[in-house]
């Protein structure tokens, strides 16, 4: 029987809204707050100042050494808060968490780095925080730098790094300083695709070597490939703790029931957004106006209704497959001559698709509405829809075709 690596007992974390990051926390938290500031795009305060919110509540969880656990749940469910408590970046308001073993963590962008120090100095600082001796860090140094592809920027203060560079270095440090427990938040999504692949390979290696991994992602395909156990959080509590496929199924079902709720009632909104609640309704329609059932190869329109008109609103829609993998982004900021704006102010944004290139299956739409260069509101899974078999170009599409999209094409074959 393997030992226990993480034991969380009735954990609670209470935030006082409007007094972010003050009055509690560790030395490291203050360092981290400073490091984070440039990336902090203004988390909205959804309630009046002074109101309290339990980001985690009565959360108990035991993770054995060597387990690879995926942490899933809506925006605001408490995933990042749990990882921050486990990595001692913040302290719980109730309960306790025992973590046995050296922890490497990769949390929000910039977390764990000191902005004024160079990349080289930060590698040593992080090693020291992990309790490593200088010689041990030195032995790993070249490997870290090579993995992060950072040779040229080693002597540059971290505050000058792009967010992608910070993530590369942070991941390299977290994964190479031989942690016994690796905690990784969503941030990998910031890196480019090649680095993401490399990082996932590295995480797999760490997991195979029998280390404990706790991983947060909205990309369920990645979670499914990497993790064997899934913990679903909802409003700060454990909603399901099960083999990964079962946990993902539960999550998809809660996503669907959220999409059928009144969107204005949803509290799991994009935490970068400025506005309270702007997106009122979203649906995809076929040419006849039927909502949320469309036919492959036929015209479709995605309609977003917002509560008020803002000057020069922009809209970004992401179509996501049933495993949580984004397959297409439709972004009004990428201008094209076919776009039409105005002339009247209005509260409807519409995206037309001439011929829907999706294969039969179930998809969802995530939405972000921007204005004045800021995200005003955002919702994952604002609507779900089904694609029925049809013709793409002049070619029939089989109901059971593999993949998500169809490319218009033609063949040249021998007689
Ligand atoms: N420093 C803070 N001060 C006040 N509230 C906070 C703070 N950090 C997080 N919260 C709130 O706590 C709740 C849980 O946030 P957390 O970041 O843990 O969610 P999450 O599951 O990681 O969400 P996401 O998927 O959007 O990353 C949210 O309602 C969030 O707004
Ligand atoms: Mg988070």
């Amino acid at each position: 029987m393997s030992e226990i690596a993480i034991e969380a007992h009735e954990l609670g974390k209470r935030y006082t809204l409007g007094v972010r990051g003050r009055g509690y926390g560790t030395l490291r938290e203050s360092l981290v707050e400073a490091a984070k500031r440039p990336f902090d795009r203004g988390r909205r305060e959804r309630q009046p100042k002074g109101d309290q919110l339990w980001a985690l509540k009565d959360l108990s969880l035991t993770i054995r050494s060597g387990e690879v656990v995926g942490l899933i749940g809506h925006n605001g469910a408490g995933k990042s808060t749990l990882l921050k408590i486990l990595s001692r970046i913040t302290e719980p308001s109730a309960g306790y968490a025992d973590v046995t073993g050296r922890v490497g963590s990769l949390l929000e962008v910039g977390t764990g780095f000191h902005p004024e120090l160079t990349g080289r100095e930060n590698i040593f600082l992080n090693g020291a925080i992990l309790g490593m001796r200088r010689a041990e860090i030195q032995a790993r140094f070249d490997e870290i730098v090579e993995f992060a592809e950072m040779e040229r920027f080693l002597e540059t203060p971290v505050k000058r790094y792009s967010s992608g560079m910070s993530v590369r270095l942070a991941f390299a440090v977290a994964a190479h300083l031989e942690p016994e427990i690796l905690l990784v938040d969503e941030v990998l999504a910031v890196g480019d695709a090649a680095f993401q692949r490399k990082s996932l390979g590295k995480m797999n290696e760490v997991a195979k070597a029998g280390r404990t991994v706790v991983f947060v992602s909205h990309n369920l395909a990645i979670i499914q490939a990497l993790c064997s156990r899934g913990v679903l959080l909802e409003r700060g509590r454990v909603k399901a703790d099960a083999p990964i496929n079962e946990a993902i199924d539960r999550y998809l079902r809660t996503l669907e029931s959220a999409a059928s709720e009144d969107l204005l009632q949803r509290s799991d909104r994009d935490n970068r957004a400025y506005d309270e609640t702007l997106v009122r309704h979203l649906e995809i329609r076929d040419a006849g106006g039927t909502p949320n059932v469309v036919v492959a190869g036929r015209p479709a329109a995605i309609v977003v209704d917002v509560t008020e008109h803002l000057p020069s609103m922009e809209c970004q829609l992401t179509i996501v497959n049933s495993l949580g993998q984004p397959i297409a982004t439709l972004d009004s900021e990428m201008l094209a001559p076919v776009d039409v704006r105005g002339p009247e102010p209005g509260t409807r944004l519409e995206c037309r698709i001439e011929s829907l290139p999706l294969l039969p299956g179930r998809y969802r739409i995530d939405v972000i509405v921007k204005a004045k260069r800021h995200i005003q509101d955002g919702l994952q899974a604002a609507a779900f829809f089904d694609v029925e078999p049809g013709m793409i170009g002049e070619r029939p599409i089989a109901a059971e075709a593999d993949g998500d999209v169809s490319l218009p094409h033609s063949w040249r074959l021998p007689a």
Side-chain angles (χ1 to χ4, degrees):
M1 193 86 251
S2 52
E3 331 136 24
I4 290 173
I6 296 173
E7 168 96 74
H9 183 74
E10 294 178 6
L11 268 189
K13 176 71 186 179
R14 184 183 54 226
Y15 285 117
T16 304
L17 296 167
V19 283
R20 234 196 132 192
R22 294 281 145 71
Y24 57 82
T26 55
L27 166 67
R28 184 156 177 212
E29 181 161 60
S30 18
L31 279 179
V32 162
E33 281 296 324
K36 243 169 51 177
R37 223 158 276 139
F39 302 101
D40 195 342
R41 284 164 289 185
R43 191 181 281 260
R44 128 241 323 273
E45 289 153 18
R46 217 170 271 120
Q47 292 165 42
K49 277 189 187 246
D51 266 20
Q52 302 204 319
L53 168 136
W54 286 92
L56 292 180
K57 190 85 178 126
D58 295 330
L59 184 143
S60 296
L61 188 65
T62 304
I63 296 176
R64 294 188 173 277
S65 164
E67 277 195 285
V68 183
V69 178
L71 206 54
I72 54 182
H74 293 269
N75 292 126
K79 306 177 295 292
S80 300
T81 303
L82 178 57
L83 290 194
K84 282 187 205 161
I85 291 176
L86 296 180
S87 53
R88 303 271 176 259
I89 280 177
T90 191
E91 280 169 7
S93 326
Y96 63 87
D98 280 339
V99 179
T100 316
R102 202 150 75 182
V103 177
S105 61
L106 177 60
L107 307 182
E108 287 168 6
V109 177
T111 310
F113 285 147
H114 193 294
E116 301 293 338
L117 301 180
T118 65
R120 176 192 300 279
E121 289 163 339
N122 267 295
I123 294 175
F124 280 95
L125 174 67
N126 270 268
I129 291 173
L130 281 176
M132 298 176 78
R133 280 178 296 119
R134 205 175 164 78
E136 286 178 277
I137 306 168
Q138 191 69 59
R140 301 254 141 213
F141 189 84
D142 291 345
E143 218 180 318
I144 293 173
V145 175
E146 194 193 317
F147 189 91
E149 301 163 28
M150 302 264 349
E151 291 83 347
R152 288 192 302 129
F153 304 101
L154 266 183
E155 313 308 335
T156 307
V158 163
K159 65 179 177 193
R160 303 239 173 79
Y161 286 13
S162 67
S163 52
M165 283 161 72
S166 301
V167 168
R168 291 214 310 265
L169 185 60
F171 183 82
V173 166
H176 287 84
L177 289 180
E178 303 198 326
E180 284 147 342
I181 300 171
L182 183 61
L183 308 174
V184 179
D185 206 339
E186 198 87 63
V187 286
L188 277 184
V190 175
D192 57 60
F195 188 76
Q196 272 181 42
R197 262 198 306 281
K198 196 159 99 170
S199 307
L200 288 169
K202 183 71 197 169
M203 277 174 59
N204 228 334
E205 239 174 69
V206 172
K208 290 243 160 65
R211 309 283 166 75
T212 312
V213 180
V214 183
F215 180 49
V216 172
S217 176
H218 285 280
N219 188 325
L220 300 176
I222 293 181
I223 289 259
Q224 194 174 34
L226 201 68
C227 306
S228 51
R229 171 177 168 196
V231 173
L232 170 62
L233 293 190
E234 207 173 290
R235 297 200 179 94
R237 297 168 191 265
V238 175
K239 183 74 191 282
D241 183 349
I244 192 64
N245 289 332
E246 206 179 311
I248 287 178
D249 278 350
R250 285 284 294 273
Y251 177 51
L252 291 174
R253 267 181 279 145
T254 67
L255 269 180
E256 293 221 23
S257 56
S260 61
E261 264 177 39
D262 177 358
L263 296 185
L264 291 177
Q265 299 302 320
R266 280 177 55 177
S267 59
D268 59 325
R269 310 188 95 88
D270 193 309
N271 61 27
R272 297 165 299 176
Y274 268 41
D275 201 274
E276 284 292 292
T277 37
L278 192 62
V279 176
R280 171 206 295 284
H281 184 78
L282 184 151
E283 65 183 38
I284 182 167
R285 299 173 175 168
D286 71 3
T290 312
N292 300 337
V293 181
V294 283
V295 179
R298 303 282 302 148
I302 301 172
V303 178
V304 182
D305 288 313
V306 296
T307 50
E308 60 177 312
H309 171 84
L310 300 174
S312 35
M313 273 188 281
E314 301 287 349
C315 185
Q316 184 184 312
L317 300 166
T318 305
I319 297 178
V320 181
N321 72 10
S322 57
L323 279 176
Q325 287 173 308
I327 52 176
T329 299
L330 313 170
D331 188 346
S332 69
E333 281 188 310
M334 299 291 149
L335 296 178
V338 288
D339 295 345
V340 180
R341 186 181 285 281
E344 301 288 323
T347 55
R348 170 159 292 180
L349 309 153
E350 185 175 332
C351 177
R352 296 187 186 176
I353 300 162
E354 222 170 276
S355 158
L356 189 74
L358 296 179
L359 297 181
R362 193 151 180 78
Y363 300 84
R364 65 164 216 247
I365 304 175
D366 296 350
V367 59
I368 286 174
V369 175
K370 297 189 204 176
K372 295 177 230 129
R373 306 203 148 265
H374 285 299
I375 297 177
Q376 303 293 333
D377 193 12
L379 271 176
Q380 285 189 338
F384 279 78
F385 66 98
D386 291 306
V387 177
E388 310 262 293
M391 305 269 285
I392 292 186
E394 292 172 320
R395 195 181 301 276
I397 297 296
E400 63 284 0
D402 274 339
D404 297 318
V405 292
S406 169
L407 302 180
H409 61 281
S410 64
W411 292 97
R412 298 290 179 272
L413 301 170

